[in-house]
Amino acid sequence: MRKVLLTLVALAISITSANASGFALYEASVRISGMMGAYVANGNHVSTIFFNPAGLAQLSGTHVNVGGVMIAPRTTFRGPLPYTTEYAMESQEFVVPHIYASHQVIEDLTVGLGVYVPFGLGSKWDENWVGNGISIETRIQTAVVNPVVAYKLPDFGIGDVMIGGGIQIGVLGNAELERGINDFVGVDGTIRLEGETNETYYGYNFGVIYKPVEKLSVGFSYKSQLELNFKGDAEFTNLPESAFPPGNTGSLQITTPASWALGISSQPVEDLTVNFDYVWWGWSSYDELAIDFDEETAVLQDISSPRDWEDVFQLRLGAEYGLPQVDNLVIRGGIGYDKNPAPDETVDATLPDTDRLLFSGGLTYHITDNLAFDLYYTFIRGEERKVDNSLNTLNGYYNTRAYIAGTALSFSF
Amino acid sequence: MRTLKTFPTYLLALLFIGFAACEDYNDHSVDVETGSVSFDGYYAVGNSLTAGYQSNALYSEAQLYAFPNLIANQAGLKGEFDTPLVTPGLGNRIEVASFTNNPISPITTTTTSLVPSGAPQQPADGFNNIGIPGAVLADYLNADGNLAARASANPAYSFAIGQQATNNGSIHGYIAGKNPTLVSFWLGNNDILGYATSGGLRPFTLPQGHPQGVDFQTMYSNAIGSILGINDEVKVIAANIPDVTSIAFTTTVGPGFVAGVQASGQDANISNVYVQTNFYSANPAIGASENKVPFAAYDLTSLTDPGTVSILLTAQSYMSYVGVSANQQAPTYNAQAVGAIVGYWKNFLVTAGVITQAQADAMNADQVEGTIEQATYGQYAQEFGVTPQQAAQELTAAGFDIEFDQPFALHPHNPLPSQFVLDSNELSIASSIVGIYNQIINGVLASSDRAVLVDVNSIFGDITANGGITVDGELLTPTILSLFSLDGVHPTNKGHGLVANEFIKVLNAEFNAELREINLESLPNGIPLGSAQ
């Protein structure tokens, strides 16, 4: 079983930032992303394991959800100032799967398991572009197995209270970084680092949902930081061995942010659910990109680039409507606004982040009582970002947009 | 495998196409405010520093980072500031053979002979950067009539100014035919640099009073006057001359040698290093004291101060021979070292015209010793107006002799050759001459408000005095591989960036331009690598 899980997880290839702030992924469920991921107070689909594990407590029986999301980001850079020559990030599409399962053990107690990608990043530029000394290719991949348990408290006469929590078991962590070394005349040197987390890393998550009356609920959920320690090889191409020792190894440590979400869910009219979530990310945990080489020379020194990211928020408004005219069909829509955590001085081509507007639409078609098909689409429009004071000296305009679509199947037993 | 090529995936891909046209973003134009100066006709006049010569060669990868090219880039002229790019290069480029991890000598070097694949193609309206490695002040108006002779020995002249070089024209002849709006002017360095880099053996340009007007005052004044006279609009931005002790060529070997002997514990055995000195009559106007003794002693402390004595970069390979004796019985005998030392002297005598190559080839070490002695008597006789016999008497009485059996550079009879050293007299002369040149430059530029000065002398002097400068978060030092390229004279890309920023500061202050300064970290280090890596 673990092997199957790991195989599926290994398909969880990296994604760009374009769908969430920094390199966090919020597109963890096709059904929920149809309503822009506003779900922390709602929680009555098995994929709530990601958004708020407490929600599982209202699911009886056994549920399984398997889905995949494809992300296509597009970014251009125009510069370096005062010039506006255009360079386009290489078009890549990333596929990110997820799996959720839950089972009600006894009344009011449900256990669940989620496998998803909480953080990821992928960017690629032409190896000769003007910023190749900053970035040619960057990839970060992670995958987490998240067993959870949820419990609905006994009735105290105040409404429903559900709590849930679990452990995040980090089973996959890869980081790759390639950039050019332009210090030598007429030489196209590159350095490529490939590292992985050799040990399992751990975190936790928990949440609570309070439903005072039938058509209103509020929720809160929290995910802890994860410490990713990547270790691996540093490969040098076209560079003098006396300065760049072959067979070198190195390490890189990244602490992902903690996050929490506070939301409200209501049913203003029959068959219509409207949710609003406020999500907070503690990106100030990412203050520096530090790469240590096991063998340093007078030329090759450990890298320490300031990042100084800030804590940021996201706003998510989503709605779900069961069309009365059409049986078995539910439609969804949502809008979102993400603030980006990177200050002007440190944002760069490895991850050209910006504030974003997101628009989503989705649907669920219940094929039978036990089987449903989910579909969604999101368009992300990043705000044009002019960088004039970059610490890495590459100044210009970044424009980013992204297209995301996903499909999933939900089974109930 | 990044994309799962299954049916749902193709379906999804179709959705993307529809939205792919959503591409609105704001147009931004390139707009640089240049104030009262126009860059439409910007020409850069100068020598190797203007051309972007680095590490003893002229090659395109370095020319692109010459300070005038960097200024033009900041002014919005990328792609329009034409430069006579030479590929693969011209000259014997010094390159890094390997990186050691020894902070005293961080690299070993090699040289590669670069030969141009052809002459750079002159564009219709000519080149904008006409810096010529080796150009002297006289070349601007061909004041000494020898431009064609210099050009025939140095293809860089015709690469830059075409027929003006072959027809015995002048640099001004080239400029006057364009429509210059701005001329950057940096000539005069070679007028003292020849003297400095040869250890005082080559002459410097007379500061004033040459009977045919081939002096710095006349030539500089005429040059600037000629440019300003082309039209009423053209502006001139000129840099003055740095002190010879603010370049790595003069400041590297002495301190490096001392650090090396201290690290190996040899310093206990060395009290004085002996150098060959040239003869001078007193001449306070150029800072020269009388010197009648052909050698001088400097202790290790003095060697760490290039203001007291400077061992030049050309001496570097010979410093490993210090202490070697030609006496085969001596424990410090080393055949290869002795061969190199004697070979140096033979070569020197041939170049100086004292003997022919054939005569040199036939000589043994004793005969070389004797020839050096004779040549020295002759120089003394010439300088002080006595007969060679009298010179011999006076010099012998002063302790002069040449004996290769004595330890090299550690005994007055086997001194470090004068070519490799700027002794106190020579340093004083160089400093005085540069001071006079710069006074002249100040005076000439002050006479017009269309001419402005970049005080490179103070900038380089401060950097040398402070041991470096921190710019854009990086410490840049006046050493090889940081601000100076491998030849110790010409700046690296970052050094050019520093110079360009100083020009930009002056352009902005004097002409109300708003050019952005360059972030030096954005400039690649441009280190040449030897081919066997």
Side-chain angles (χ1 to χ4, degrees):
Chain A
M1 180 60 178
R2 178 167 165 77
K3 194 169 173 191
V4 170
L5 273 178
L6 279 177
T7 310
L8 288 168
V9 146
L11 290 173
I13 309 193
S14 58
I15 43 94
T16 76
S17 64
N19 56 303
S21 72
F23 49 96
L25 164 62
Y26 218 64
E27 308 281 332
S29 159
V30 172
R31 179 171 297 199
I32 310 309
S33 296
M35 51 197 297
M36 197 41 65
Y39 215 64
V40 81
N42 194 333
N44 67 354
H45 179 254
V46 63
S47 63
T48 190
I49 289 172
F50 178 90
F51 299 91
N52 188 344
L56 281 188
Q58 60 202 310
L59 295 178
S60 57
T62 303
H63 301 270
V64 175
N65 173 260
V66 179
V69 165
M70 182 190 285
I71 302 171
R74 301 286 181 261
T75 297
T76 61
F77 171 79
R78 283 176 295 156
L81 300 180
Y83 302 95
T84 50
T85 312
E86 183 174 308
Y87 303 88
M89 191 185 272
E90 228 171 84
S91 297
Q92 299 182 93
E93 289 81 38
F94 304 93
V95 176
V96 185
H98 51 260
I99 308 165
Y100 301 99
S102 73
H103 176 70
Q104 184 177 50
V105 176
I106 55 172
E107 184 152 2
D108 296 338
L109 183 73
T110 305
V111 297
L113 185 75
V115 182
Y116 52 83
V117 175
F119 295 94
L121 159 58
S123 65
K124 191 168 180 188
W125 300 86
D126 180 84
E127 60 183 10
N128 294 316
W129 83 291
V130 72
N132 70 351
I134 295 158
S135 180
I136 294 175
E137 185 168 12
T138 307
R139 307 175 76 73
I140 296 177
Q141 313 171 12
T142 59
V144 140
V145 172
N146 185 201
V148 298
V149 59
Y151 177 63
K152 185 152 137 196
L153 266 49
D155 191 359
F156 297 116
I158 56 166
D160 289 338
V161 178
M162 296 174 271
I163 58 173
I167 307 171
Q168 295 192 301
I169 304 168
V171 296
L172 181 80
N174 290 332
E176 289 167 37
L177 205 94
E178 181 176 336
R179 58 158 76 152
I181 302 282
N182 297 323
D183 292 307
F184 305 102
V185 171
V187 165
D188 288 332
T190 54
I191 173 174
R192 186 176 181 92
L193 308 168
E194 287 185 18
E196 30 180 63
T197 52
N198 294 324
E199 291 167 357
T200 313
Y201 50 96
Y202 295 94
Y204 59 89
N205 56 339
F206 65 85
V208 58
I209 294 178
Y210 173 49
K211 208 165 168 178
V213 296
E214 183 58 36
K215 303 208 190 288
L216 183 71
S217 60
V218 295
F220 174 84
S221 76
Y222 179 88
K223 284 205 185 73
S224 74
Q225 292 181 335
L226 299 169
E227 276 218 7
L228 308 170
N229 289 311
F230 301 103
K231 288 197 202 320
D233 297 325
E235 202 181 280
F236 309 108
T237 315
N238 294 335
L239 292 171
E241 293 188 0
S242 55
F244 298 89
N248 205 353
T249 51
S251 62
L252 155 68
Q253 203 218 40
I254 294 179
T255 303
T256 65
S259 68
W260 53 260
L262 184 65
I264 184 165
S265 173
S266 70
Q267 287 172 21
V269 299
E270 181 130 11
D271 291 330
L272 175 68
T273 305
V274 179
N275 297 341
F276 177 77
D277 281 9
Y278 175 96
V279 188
W280 176 93
W281 295 88
W283 277 114
S284 55
S285 66
Y286 188 39
D287 57 358
E288 167 182 73
L289 177 67
I291 299 175
D292 290 331
F293 294 104
D294 292 327
E295 198 183 333
E296 281 180 273
T297 66
V299 175
L300 179 67
Q301 298 274 296
D302 292 345
I303 295 171
S304 164
S305 307
R307 287 288 176 255
D308 294 328
W309 282 19
E310 296 157 3
D311 299 335
V312 292
F313 67 87
Q314 298 173 320
L315 303 174
R316 303 270 152 141
L317 177 68
E320 173 178 78
Y321 185 54
L323 289 173
Q325 302 91 337
V326 184
D327 275 347
N328 308 328
L329 185 67
V330 179
I331 60 172
R332 296 187 188 82
I335 56 176
Y337 175 66
D338 289 357
K339 282 220 59 84
N340 88 90
D344 280 355
E345 293 85 351
T346 66
V347 71
D348 72 9
T350 53
L351 173 33
D353 212 352
T354 178
D355 295 345
R356 306 186 200 104
L357 277 176
L358 306 90
F359 308 92
S360 71
L363 59 85
T364 296
Y365 182 69
H366 291 273
I367 301 168
T368 71
D369 279 345
N370 299 341
L371 178 65
F373 167 72
D374 302 311
L375 184 69
Y376 93 107
Y377 182 84
T378 292
F379 172 65
I380 301 180
R381 160 44 98 223
E383 189 178 10
E384 176 177 271
R385 184 162 197 177
K386 178 181 181 186
V387 173
D388 211 355
N389 55 354
S390 176
L391 287 179
N392 68 27
T393 79
L394 186 64
N395 293 318
Y397 297 92
Y398 291 96
N399 288 81
T400 297
R401 64 198 188 281
Y403 315 97
I404 308 178
T407 67
L409 287 173
S410 296
F411 308 88
S412 312
F413 309 105
Chain B
M1 197 171 70
R2 293 203 185 104
T3 56
L4 295 174
K5 301 249 187 257
T6 59
F7 167 66
T9 307
Y10 285 129
L11 186 62
L12 296 174
L14 284 174
L15 288 168
F16 301 151
I17 296 169
F19 279 81
C22 269
E23 232 187 280
D24 63 307
Y25 54 53
N26 309 312
D27 275 323
H28 299 282
S29 60
V30 179
D31 214 350
V32 181
E33 174 60 59
T34 64
S36 61
V37 64
S38 164
F39 279 81
D40 291 344
Y42 170 35
Y43 292 89
V45 170
N47 49 36
S48 50
L49 293 163
T50 296
Y53 186 92
Q54 286 189 34
S55 298
N56 212 40
L58 186 67
Y59 54 99
S60 60
E61 293 92 341
Q63 290 174 279
L64 290 171
Y65 291 95
F67 75 88
N69 296 57
L70 297 177
I71 294 169
N73 214 31
Q74 297 306 100
L77 291 177
K78 184 152 70 173
E80 294 162 38
F81 188 74
D82 294 314
T83 304
L85 297 175
V86 181
T87 55
L90 172 68
N92 292 323
R93 186 167 65 196
I94 304 172
E95 299 166 341
V96 171
S98 72
F99 292 87
T100 69
N101 279 310
N102 180 351
I104 297 174
S105 52
I107 55 172
T108 63
T109 58
T110 180
T111 58
T112 298
S113 168
L114 298 176
V115 175
S117 57
Q121 290 277 44
Q122 283 259 356
D125 53 356
F127 288 119
N128 295 91
N129 184 333
I130 52 167
I132 299 168
V136 286
L137 182 56
D139 285 322
Y140 189 73
L141 287 163
N142 199 0
D144 63 355
N146 287 335
L147 187 146
R150 287 191 284 272
S152 68
N154 179 356
Y157 278 86
S158 59
F159 287 172
I161 58 175
Q163 295 200 333
Q164 290 287 333
T166 46
N167 297 346
N168 208 30
S170 67
I171 297 176
H172 184 71
Y174 182 93
I175 289 288
K178 311 286 179 255
N179 271 326
T181 58
L182 172 68
V183 175
S184 64
F185 188 92
W186 202 3
L187 282 172
N189 318 67
N190 286 334
D191 296 73
I192 183 62
L193 213 58
Y195 175 83
T197 57
S198 65
L201 298 181
R202 293 212 291 271
F204 51 82
T205 298
L206 220 56
Q208 280 135 340
H210 189 281
Q212 281 86 44
V214 185
D215 57 78
F216 201 93
Q217 170 81 65
T218 311
M219 293 193 288
Y220 203 91
S221 171
N222 286 347
I224 301 298
S226 303
I227 301 173
L228 291 172
I230 295 174
N231 61 51
D232 286 333
E233 291 306 311
V234 63
K235 316 279 194 297
V236 173
I237 178 164
N240 59 12
I241 314 301
D243 285 315
V244 301
T245 48
S246 53
I247 59 176
F249 190 87
T250 57
T251 59
T252 301
V253 177
F257 172 72
V258 175
V261 301
Q262 283 171 342
S264 64
Q266 295 283 331
D267 50 329
N269 303 335
I270 298 177
S271 44
N272 283 317
V273 167
Y274 289 88
V275 306
Q276 183 196 28
T277 55
N278 290 327
F279 300 118
Y280 284 98
S281 305
N283 186 349
I286 60 166
S289 313
E290 180 183 82
N291 180 43
K292 289 184 146 180
V293 181
F295 55 81
Y298 293 98
D299 63 17
L300 292 181
T301 309
S302 305
L303 286 171
T304 61
D305 177 20
T308 303
V309 61
S310 167
I311 316 278
L312 304 177
L313 199 61
T314 37
Q316 191 150 54
S317 57
Y318 291 85
M319 299 312 283
S320 55
Y321 307 149
V322 168
V324 162
S325 163
N327 180 350
Q328 296 185 357
Q329 264 64 55
T332 57
Y333 174 76
N334 178 310
Q336 186 256 330
V338 172
I341 294 165
V342 175
Y344 166 81
W345 283 114
K346 284 188 179 182
N347 209 33
F348 170 77
L349 292 167
V350 170
T351 311
V354 176
I355 53 176
T356 66
Q357 185 65 54
Q359 287 171 318
D361 291 339
M363 276 186 184
N364 63 28
D366 280 340
Q367 291 167 315
V368 174
E369 290 175 357
T371 313
I372 298 170
E373 288 159 14
Q374 292 297 321
T376 310
Y377 302 149
Q379 284 173 337
Y380 187 99
Q382 192 172 34
E383 182 67 28
F384 301 110
V386 299
T387 64
Q389 292 80 4
Q390 202 168 347
Q393 261 178 24
E394 293 179 24
L395 283 171
T396 310
F400 172 66
D401 194 1
I402 298 290
E403 295 180 279
F404 294 138
D405 280 357
Q406 296 295 346
F408 178 63
L410 298 182
H411 192 278
H413 295 175
N414 193 0
L416 201 54
S418 166
Q419 178 177 358
F420 295 149
V421 182
L422 285 173
D423 59 56
S424 310
N425 230 351
E426 289 159 343
L427 287 170
S428 170
I429 292 169
S431 169
S432 306
I433 295 297
V434 169
I436 299 171
Y437 286 178
N438 286 341
Q439 268 182 329
I440 291 168
I441 291 173
N442 268 347
V444 170
L445 295 178
S447 65
S448 166
D449 59 5
R450 286 188 289 136
V452 296
L453 171 73
V454 182
D455 188 358
V456 173
N457 180 286
S458 296
I459 293 153
F460 277 35
D462 285 346
I463 293 174
T464 302
N466 296 331
I469 183 171
T470 302
V471 181
D472 298 322
E474 197 183 340
L475 175 64
L476 297 172
T477 53
T479 57
I480 288 172
L481 282 184
S482 180
L483 284 171
F484 287 95
S485 67
L486 298 174
D487 58 28
V489 175
H490 301 98
T492 53
N493 296 345
K494 289 192 160 94
H496 274 275
L498 196 107
V499 170
N501 282 345
E502 295 302 323
F503 272 71
I504 286 171
K505 284 178 191 164
V506 171
L507 286 165
N508 289 348
E510 300 285 342
F511 300 123
N512 290 324
E514 287 172 19
L515 269 55
R516 286 166 60 113
E517 285 181 40
I518 302 156
N519 187 324
L520 298 190
E521 210 201 310
S522 69
L523 300 172
N525 283 318
I527 300 170
L529 287 179
S531 44
Q533 281 294 326

